[in-house]
Amino acid sequence: MQHDAVAVIDFGGQYAHLIANKVRRLGVLAEIRQPEDPIEVFERYKGIILSGSPSFASQGEDSDYTRAIFDLDIPIVGFCFGHQQIAEHYGGSLVHGGREWGKAMLHIVGDSPIFKGLGEVEQVFMSHYDSVVSVGPGFEEIGFSKKADGQDGHRFAAIANEELKRYGFQYHPEVDDTLNGETMFRNFVIDICGCSQDWNMEGFLDEEIARIQQQVGADGSVFLLASGGVDSTVAAAILGKALGPERLLMLHIDNGLMRKNESAEVVEAFEEVGLGKQLHFVDASEVFLEALKGVIEPERKRAIIGNTFIAVFEAEAKRLGIEDHLLGQGTIYPDTIETGGSKRADTIKTHHNRVPLIDEMIAAGKVVEPLADLYKVEVRELGEKLGVPHDLVWRHPFPGPGLGVRCLCSDGKRDDEGLDAVADQLAQTAEHFGIGAQVLPIRSVGVKADLRAYEHPVLLHGDADWNTLIEATSVITADIPGLNRCIWNLGPEMPSEVRPVKATMNRRRLDVLREADAIVMDALRRHGLYAKVWQCPTVLVPIEFVGGGGQPGGELIVVRPVHSARAMTATPVDLPGAVLADLRRQILKLDGVSGLAVDVTSKPPGTIEWE
Ligand code: XMP
């Protein structure tokens, strides 16, 4: 069935996925599109939404896209950068200035249908440097802003040309701080574009089953990589329903990067739901560890893990005589889009299910990915509908490369080039907040202004309250170059020395990490926090804390509890003192651990994982 759909053009802002999610919540299919997609792609949509961007429209940045969209007889709305594009395209003008950040009040003028059902004044969320200062013929101001404290804000916070059905909002209706953003989306998508609300999980399930049956053919079968995580388990459930149990085989690979006892538990869980016979298990931990031997660079580790998965998968298919089976994967929509070849998106990290080898297999039609169009929240909804056990559906997300991205490696040399230059600035900032701070001589991956940032973490120490830590982190990572994360020391005092440790991937280090991770997961469950925290990676960092409260010669463990809705952004979680005390008591005792800290960085600038 063809659905009415809306295109969300992703100009590289942080919130394009949030926009698509909000539209889908209305029961209307929204798809992310790239600005340079050919015009024919856009013709089939009933509406187009232009996202925000890190570029400055006033400087003409990023102006080279498929502008023929403006000639289509399809309603268009733009947010922030998208708003400025619309204003300028139709003869308005922009300035580099008028920065607004955070909550503002939108004063609505006139009675545009896009504001149907709203009050005269609405709280909205602003985040921009550029502003619209005039509009062209046929356009009018339908809203201006005032600051939350009542001071003057800006004209042209919302504009419209009702005849052409072109709208622009300087603010972000997709962000929850725009309190009635959902009504604005509804007015645009349902009333102005005329979309039917016919996209839902029941419908998706029926259509996807038909699509899988067609792709696999009457005689074909699928061999699915089953990690035991949410995505691959829901993929197994839908494939089983589409093809019947005899045509679905699954492979669980122990890559040596799983959590403590995890592979055994996955095998047991499949047996419990009656799928034990279809699940093959292979212990390939030696193969993975051999391939990763001596490797330090994070992106190389990711590539090796992705390629080794395929090598093991192919060897296993050969051994079982099922090389004709299609490869099944639980890839979800953000994985596909983020590595989808957008000119604008920087490669923050390569997902293991999108290494070039797999791209080639996809091009040859050899891969089935039943969830490739869904977001995590939708996968969970589908999982519940398919009767996948509740605990499994609500497991914390676990990355495909497993503990591989949480076990950092180092050649043992100090990686602190250029850090002297920021020492004074860091010391002054720390003093201002009444805490101690020192830069760590290693790096981790982060994301700043939509670009990959491979920079240094800062260790904070002191009795500061949570808000002070968050504020200090925000100032340090925004104002001091080369720093992308802050961690808060849980040891009794600031270490007298921090020494890089020469360390690559090996079983001993992974066992230390597994043990610490098991302690963290157990503490979250015992304190009733597992369901409240979205994800909580535990990371092994090759740095020895001398006087860090742990074992001499050991490394640093960092705990990273976050809240997130869609993993594109995240906020750190303030774990209660009793939990921290538990972690301190148990983890600092472990052989191989010299220090313990909790990551207090949001995403951006820190990614959720450290690599
Ligand atoms: P980051 O670290 O980019 O992570 O903030 C966002 C979310 O994605 C998960 N993640 C992965 N999941 N394959 C996956 O299936 C991967 O290669 C991968 N890398 C990160 C991460 O755990 C978090 O939930």
Side-chain angles (χ1 to χ4, degrees), residues 231 302 330-332 335 338 348-354 376 396-402 405-406 445 447 485 534-535 537 560 562 564 566-570 603 606-611:
D231 303 339
R302 282 178 164 266
T331 313
I332 66 173
D335 302 347
E338 277 153 31
I348 312 282
K349 40 187 77 167
T350 311
H351 276 227
H352 73 291
N353 45 18
R354 277 291 172 272
K376 190 75 131 202
H396 285 185
F398 189 62
V405 296
R406 299 178 179 174
V445 178
V447 53
R485 280 180 199 276
W534 193 79
Q535 192 178 16
R560 169 88 170 121
V562 290
S564 180
R566 295 158 197 87
M568 301 304 294
T569 57
K603 173 183 178 179
T607 45
I608 297 176
E609 306 288 352
W610 274 47
E611 284 194 339

Side-chain angles (χ1 to χ4, degrees), residues 281-447:
F281 169 68
V282 49
D283 179 354
S285 49
E286 266 314 309
V287 183
F288 276 83
L289 292 183
E290 191 54 37
L292 287 165
K293 212 171 182 172
V295 181
I296 289 169
E297 209 275 315
E299 277 293 285
R300 256 197 81 209
K301 281 165 69 185
R302 282 178 164 266
I304 289 171
I305 295 169
N307 290 337
T308 309
F309 260 119
I310 298 305
V312 172
F313 174 85
E314 283 179 341
E316 204 51 24
K318 193 164 176 192
R319 193 182 69 76
L320 295 167
I322 54 167
E323 291 140 290
D324 58 335
H325 284 34
L326 300 184
L327 161 66
Q329 292 203 119
T331 313
I332 66 173
Y333 198 46
D335 302 347
T336 325
I337 295 300
E338 277 153 31
T339 28
S342 156
K343 277 205 292 201
R344 286 151 183 82
D346 194 33
T347 302
I348 312 282
K349 40 187 77 167
T350 311
H351 276 227
H352 73 291
N353 45 18
R354 277 291 172 272
V355 291
L357 202 59
I358 294 190
D359 284 342
E360 282 167 30
M361 292 173 75
I362 291 174
K366 290 186 174 162
V367 181
V368 191
E369 297 184 318
L371 312 177
D373 287 332
L374 301 186
Y375 288 101
K376 190 75 131 202
V377 280
E378 295 165 342
V379 171
R380 286 182 160 149
E381 194 184 330
L382 191 64
E384 296 270 17
K385 236 174 229 8
L386 286 163
V388 176
H390 181 84
D391 284 355
L392 233 164
V393 167
W394 291 98
R395 277 185 85 176
H396 285 185
F398 189 62
L403 299 181
V405 296
R406 299 178 179 174
C407 183
L408 273 56
C409 300
S410 161
D411 58 8
K413 299 196 182 108
R414 294 191 78 83
D415 179 1
D416 54 5
E417 207 176 303
L419 291 181
D420 283 352
V422 300
D424 286 349
Q425 196 182 353
L426 179 63
Q428 280 162 20
T429 311
E431 196 183 323
H432 170 79
F433 287 102
I435 49 179
Q438 68 169 304
V439 183
L440 299 184
I442 47 113
R443 286 188 281 172
S444 80
V445 178
V447 53

Side-chain angles (χ1 to χ4, degrees), residues 408 410 413-420 422-423 426 436-444 454-461 476 480-490 493-501 539-546 548 555-559 594-601 610:
L408 273 56
S410 161
K413 299 196 182 108
R414 294 191 78 83
D415 179 1
D416 54 5
E417 207 176 303
L419 291 181
D420 283 352
V422 300
L426 179 63
Q438 68 169 304
V439 183
L440 299 184
I442 47 113
R443 286 188 281 172
S444 80
Y454 190 44
E455 299 180 340
H456 296 273
V458 174
L459 178 72
L460 305 178
H461 181 88
I476 289 169
I480 308 181
L483 309 180
N484 65 355
R485 280 180 199 276
C486 290
I487 60 177
W488 183 44
N489 188 21
L490 295 183
E493 50 203 59
M494 190 66 135
S496 56
E497 196 190 336
V498 292
R499 286 188 198 141
V501 177
V539 189
L540 183 68
V541 183
I543 283 200
E544 181 186 355
F545 274 16
V546 179
E555 300 179 43
L556 166 68
I557 286 284
V558 178
V559 181
S594 62
L596 175 65
V598 60
D599 192 332
V600 291
T601 322
W610 274 47

